[in-house]
Amino acid sequence: MNKSKRPFTKSKRSFRRRLPPIQSGDRIDYRNMSLISRFISELGKILSRRVNRVTLKQQRLITIAIKQARILSLLPFLNNQKQFER
């Protein structure tokens, strides 16, 4: 019998910690288009918090900023370019 002493040990896999998408110096507002456009899908939808990997407070600020940018016509409400290509 060749049993190890610790049968339920965790494997020592190394993993790289993902960097947060929003740095501490970034301001979340409707004018920061380079930041806001990262959180919108190809169809123009706001991505979920799990996909974005942001905190709840950051997600709320992102959502408000995207909606303000849409109202001011900085962002489209829908991106229907794929439908028009047919």
Side-chain angles (χ1 to χ4, degrees):
M1 289 191 174
N2 199 0
K3 287 187 176 180
S4 64
K5 293 180 183 177
R6 286 184 258 161
F8 297 111
T9 57
K10 288 185 179 178
S11 63
K12 293 188 177 183
R13 284 190 300 165
S14 64
F15 64 94
R16 220 176 103 222
R17 191 166 182 184
R18 287 183 55 157
L19 294 172
I22 299 176
Q23 304 299 327
S24 59
D26 289 340
R27 287 199 35 106
I28 303 172
D29 62 346
Y30 65 93
R31 292 171 289 189
N32 194 349
M33 295 305 295
S34 60
L35 179 72
I36 287 176
S37 58
R38 284 191 249 160
F39 302 108
I40 298 176
S41 70
E42 289 181 7
L43 297 174
K45 293 184 177 183
I46 301 171
L47 295 174
S48 70
R49 196 177 138 224
R50 282 185 302 154
V51 176
N52 290 341
R53 316 252 340 203
V54 294
T55 63
L56 182 61
K57 192 173 186 179
Q58 289 172 337
Q59 181 70 20
R60 284 194 196 119
L61 291 171
I62 289 166
T63 304
I64 290 168
I66 290 171
K67 289 178 180 179
Q68 285 175 339
R70 284 175 176 168
I71 289 169
L72 293 170
S73 329
L74 300 173
L75 283 175
F77 279 90
L78 288 174
N79 191 2
N80 292 332
Q81 290 179 350
K82 290 185 178 181
Q83 292 177 353
F84 296 122
E85 288 178 358
R86 291 181 186 167

